[in-house]
Amino acid sequence: MSAAPVLLTGFEPFGGESINASARLVAALDGRVVAGRRVAGLILPVVFGAAGERLLDAINRLRPALVICTGQAAGRAAISLERVALNLADSAQPDNAGVRLVDAPVVPGGPAAYWSTLPLRPILAALRARGLPAELSLSAGGYVCNHVFYTLMHALRDAPAVRGGFVHLPVLPEQAAASGRTPPPPGLALAATTEALEILIATSLAETPADA
Ligand code: PCA
């Protein structure tokens, strides 16, 4: 039997854009072998509820050893390692199905929050050692990314051997240039985010106990 894969997710474009940096990242890494495990890429809809359902389907089907979800956060200058998933959907922006949620739980009756189970400090150190811009982040926001992050951590709550977490990415340089904003948002090249995710996956697998 081949080793359990790494599940890597990104999102379709949203907010009127034609590109999502996280989808490009997933396309670049899908099928690659990192630290002995195949990366299985999955693009999620930017839709409350449906995104989480697609993620859970993939987890049940693939039985991954590690799950990393990614999304784009325009305005961030560094690869943001999200620390905490909140049981809250609250956003000014409607999702791609036109739904806007305010003060809504992700899982009714669920705990207020879950911590990421990725080894964030070793990942941060490894990324910085390679000259890649990275930071710890205290909030994944109240939109679909946090919704997916909470759905993931809730699903993994009884599977301590499977680490999971969420990473926000800056936009790509071409998105920054096309934004029309002055000043443009900071951009980070696909080559850099791809290398960063390989490091993140390898570090997460290396920090997982062998008997897990
Ligand atoms: N970013 C959004 C949702 C999809 C994405 O790539 C967010 O930060 O919630």
Side-chain angles (χ1 to χ4, degrees):
M1 203 183 82
S2 59
V6 173
L7 177 58
L8 176 69
T9 75
F11 282 100
E12 66 184 4
F14 68 106
E17 281 202 83
S18 58
I19 295 177
N20 188 315
S22 67
R24 294 287 171 91
L25 171 79
V26 168
L29 282 169
D30 184 39
R32 272 198 211 178
V33 174
V34 179
R37 294 192 188 267
R38 190 178 59 83
V39 176
L42 175 69
I43 305 298
L44 299 173
V46 182
V47 176
F48 289 111
E53 284 163 25
R54 292 272 279 278
L55 172 69
L56 297 181
D57 282 351
I59 291 172
N60 286 333
R61 186 165 38 86
L62 297 169
R63 302 271 160 209
L66 171 70
V67 185
I68 316 271
C69 296
T70 71
Q72 168 185 307
R76 298 213 194 177
I79 293 158
S80 292
L81 309 173
E82 299 295 351
R83 303 183 79 151
V84 58
L86 294 183
N87 192 12
L88 177 68
D90 187 289
S91 170
Q93 189 172 15
D95 69 11
N96 281 358
V99 173
R100 192 183 149 221
L101 295 180
V102 176
D103 294 343
V106 177
V107 175
Y114 288 106
W115 301 117
S116 170
T117 51
L118 300 180
L120 297 180
R121 293 278 174 198
I123 291 168
L124 185 66
L127 293 177
R128 289 185 172 166
R130 291 285 272 272
L132 294 161
E135 64 188 4
L136 297 181
S137 166
L138 271 175
S139 175
Y143 193 46
V144 182
C145 286
N146 176 73
H147 202 282
V148 160
F149 185 17
Y150 188 93
T151 302
L152 170 66
M153 301 319 301
H154 187 69
L156 296 182
R157 69 194 182 285
D158 295 324
V162 182
R163 290 183 186 263
F166 196 96
V167 180
H168 263 122
L169 310 169
V171 295
L172 297 166
E174 55 266 40
Q175 292 174 279
S179 73
R181 275 184 268 154
T182 309
L188 189 63
L190 183 59
T193 55
T194 305
E195 184 187 3
L197 263 289
E198 286 188 325
I199 291 169
L200 192 150
I201 290 168
T203 306
S204 298
L205 292 173
E207 297 278 332
T208 300
D211 60 352

